Amino acid sequence: MLKPEGFTTRVIHTPFSKEDANHALHQPIYSNAAFDFESAEQMELAFQGRLPVHAYSRISNPTVENFELRIKQITGALNVTALSSGMAAVSNTIFMLASSGTNIIASKHLFGNTYVFFDSTIRDFGIETRFCDLTNNEEVKANIDENTVAVFVETITNPQLEVVDLESLSKIVHEKNIPLVADTTLTPPNVFNAKEFGIDIEVISSTKCISGGGTSIGGLIVDYGTFNWSKSKKLAPLAKRFGPFAFNYKLRREVFRNLGACLSPFAAYLQSLGLETLQLRFEKAANNCRELALFLESIAKVKAVNYPGKDGSEFHKISERQFGAFPGAMLTFDFSTREECFAFMNNLDLIRRATNVYDNKTLILHPASTIYCDFDQKTRESLHVSDTMLRLSLGIEDIEDLKSDLTQAINKLQ
Ligand SMILES: *Cc1c(COP(=O)(O)O)cnc(C)c1O
């Protein structure tokens, strides 16, 4: 049988795990909590994990499973788990790897909630996070010790838009026998192949590009089966029995089901559908981003434009190597003052003032006064979130309409 190669073809033609009783062409929404068994023996086998059936929708569900299969198909992963949000994917992954007395290496340049999760939530459980500059190999090496259980990186940091050289980072991390965990939300799987760059565990907020226009909240843990879990103190006993499946075994049979952050079948349906148009939408949004970065740079009132895909960005070369022609669909730019940022935002007609990214709609926000409002000025500075910066996440609108809106909003400034 023909084996499709293209990203979108593979998504659309991912087979169901079982033939549908009514030959539905799209995986139906199974919105039920429990599943029926023919016998006590069958039920026993299912609970032992020896029968590939569903028992209870917090543990697994056919609609959710189909979404997971599609992600598996396009990433080439060994195992995929869908969760209720991107933060659930981050927190489940950390609870899988860390225990009290261990530490994690991460940059300070992190999605806001992830930063607080590392800096405060897990610290309360005796897990330390060592924040360091992940673009500096020596600093990373110096911070790793025998209690380090993961290095966590975002492929493009938000809102700093920093890009780490993943090949060189993964080399260092693997030499120390530590798994590399990456949040790849801003570089979806059609433009970025995590496995190729040495990422062992990938976490994604499927709320963003995958959901198909901000339709629902969801997250993914993508396990490439690349890390030798016998090198992990916590997972070594399971690695003896399950080899590369050790991580997935503990995740699915313990951490994921006990934390209970499962994806609802409705959201799985929406996100499965979103995945079918991911490539079309993302390429359009990323092209809009490239064009608007140039456009904004040509405007005198705009003081600086940050976008890893433009000439002059210190991350241009590395982002091209890692993400090809589509280095994200988000940019930041500066005005002279915070007041000017607010006035500009208020002048916009088409572009929405909202906090999501990678919606079909173009969205703007002022990070310092919103996502980072709980931090004091000094912390914000250390996170490189300045008072004069705006973040723009590009949608799939027609570029001339976006340019018109930006132009009229700038022209109205004093
Ligand atoms: C949005 C986002 C998250 C969190 O995802 P939710 O689905 O909102 O929980 C994590 N990381 C990045 C980079 C994000 O953009």
Side-chain angles (χ1 to χ4, degrees):
M1 200 186 146
L2 179 78
K3 203 163 178 291
E5 296 287 334
F7 178 89
T8 299
T9 320
R10 278 182 292 151
V11 170
I12 292 178
H13 293 281
T14 301
F16 294 172
S17 65
K18 274 195 197 116
E19 197 180 334
D20 180 69
N22 297 299
H23 301 280
L25 208 45
H26 195 283
Q27 176 69 63
I29 303 172
Y30 282 85
S31 181
N32 54 310
F35 298 80
D36 191 17
F37 287 92
E38 271 170 26
S39 66
E41 288 77 11
Q42 294 270 308
M43 208 164 172
E44 182 184 28
L45 288 174
F47 274 72
Q48 290 169 340
R50 292 160 65 194
L51 205 61
V53 295
H54 304 281
Y56 190 66
S57 284
R58 170 162 43 72
I59 299 168
S60 72
N61 169 282
T63 312
V64 177
E65 181 189 39
N66 187 248
F67 177 50
E68 293 168 340
L69 281 175
R70 286 178 159 210
I71 299 290
K72 206 169 145 173
Q73 184 81 244
I74 55 178
T75 55
L78 190 64
N79 302 291
V80 173
T81 301
L83 301 96
S84 60
S85 69
M87 283 315 300
V90 171
S91 54
N92 273 257
T93 299
I94 298 306
F95 285 126
M96 274 295 301
L97 300 172
S99 20
S100 71
T102 64
N103 67 73
I104 290 157
I105 311 269
S107 164
K108 267 196 174 182
H109 294 166
L110 284 172
F111 176 71
N113 297 148
T114 305
Y115 175 73
V116 177
F117 177 75
F118 281 145
D119 192 43
S120 169
T121 313
I122 59 172
R123 212 174 279 285
D124 292 343
F125 291 86
I127 302 159
E128 181 198 356
T129 301
R130 299 181 174 174
F131 292 107
C132 59
D133 178 1
L134 296 185
T135 66
N136 181 338
N137 291 346
E138 294 314 312
E139 198 175 322
V140 174
K141 274 190 209 165
N143 275 280
I144 292 177
D145 66 16
E146 71 279 5
N147 293 318
T148 305
V149 290
V151 172
F152 186 98
V153 61
E154 292 181 2
T155 45
I156 299 181
T157 72
N158 165 10
Q160 304 85 2
L161 309 183
E162 175 186 270
V163 180
V164 170
D165 180 340
L166 293 165
E167 255 163 331
S168 102
L169 179 67
S170 69
K171 198 159 158 269
I172 295 171
V173 173
H174 291 149
E175 272 167 11
K176 303 272 187 185
N177 293 316
I178 295 165
L180 180 61
V181 180
D183 180 336
T184 66
T185 302
L186 295 188
T187 54
N190 60 310
V191 299
F192 177 66
N193 184 327
K195 191 175 177 179
E196 239 175 61
F197 291 92
I199 288 159
D200 302 296
I201 303 290
E202 180 181 21
V203 293
I204 304 174
S205 165
S206 53
T207 311
K208 310 296 162 56
C209 207
I210 292 175
S211 77
T215 60
S216 48
I217 304 280
L220 290 156
I221 297 176
V222 184
D223 163 13
Y224 286 95
T226 43
F227 189 73
N228 179 355
W229 296 111
S230 67
K231 306 286 183 195
S232 145
K233 267 188 220 147
K234 193 167 170 180
L235 291 176
L238 284 174
K240 274 204 193 104
R241 282 172 65 199
F242 300 108
F245 290 89
F247 180 92
N248 193 57
Y249 183 85
K250 188 175 172 74
L251 179 68
R252 296 304 293 234
R253 290 194 66 88
E254 185 189 330
V255 175
F256 167 73
R257 69 165 69 168
N258 293 345
L259 290 176
C262 57
L263 185 65
S264 94
F266 282 105
Y269 173 80
L270 291 170
Q271 303 203 353
S272 238
L273 207 56
L275 203 54
E276 296 191 353
T277 55
L278 172 69
Q279 186 171 28
L280 296 171
R281 289 180 290 107
F282 186 70
E283 288 186 4
K284 177 88 195 278
N287 283 331
N288 278 351
C289 188
R290 179 184 304 282
E291 201 161 331
L292 283 194
L294 292 175
F295 178 74
L296 285 164
E297 261 191 335
S298 72
I299 294 173
K301 268 207 174 307
V302 174
K303 296 301 161 208
V305 178
N306 187 12
Y307 163 62
K310 81 180 170 87
D311 287 337
S313 158
E314 61 177 307
F315 303 116
H316 188 191
K317 266 214 182 76
I318 187 67
S319 72
E320 227 167 39
R321 178 138 46 92
Q322 295 179 167
F323 320 125
F326 305 102
M330 189 164 88
L331 59 82
T332 65
F333 60 103
D334 285 66
F335 283 109
S336 301
T337 61
R338 169 191 159 107
E339 289 67 34
E340 216 169 17
C341 289
F342 274 43
F344 171 79
M345 280 181 72
N346 293 337
N347 289 345
L348 290 165
D349 281 332
L350 191 71
I351 295 170
R352 307 302 178 93
R353 294 165 287 268
T355 185
N356 197 10
V357 297
Y358 290 8
D359 195 320
N360 288 339
K361 298 181 181 75
T362 297
L363 308 177
I364 195 162
L365 67 69
H366 180 253
S369 64
T370 54
I371 299 172
Y372 294 90
C373 72
D374 291 338
F375 299 99
D376 56 37
Q377 182 76 17
K378 208 165 138 249
T379 311
R380 278 204 295 269
E381 272 164 27
S382 80
L383 298 172
H384 301 104
V385 176
S386 97
D387 256 356
T388 56
M389 178 181 78
L390 290 172
R391 183 186 85 182
L392 192 68
S393 166
L394 276 300
I396 59 171
E397 297 97 333
D398 299 287
I399 188 81
E400 292 309 324
D401 290 324
L402 293 173
K403 284 184 183 170
S404 301
D405 197 24
L406 292 171
T407 306
Q408 66 79 22
I410 287 169
N411 288 344
K412 271 193 210 152
L413 293 175
Q414 298 308 311

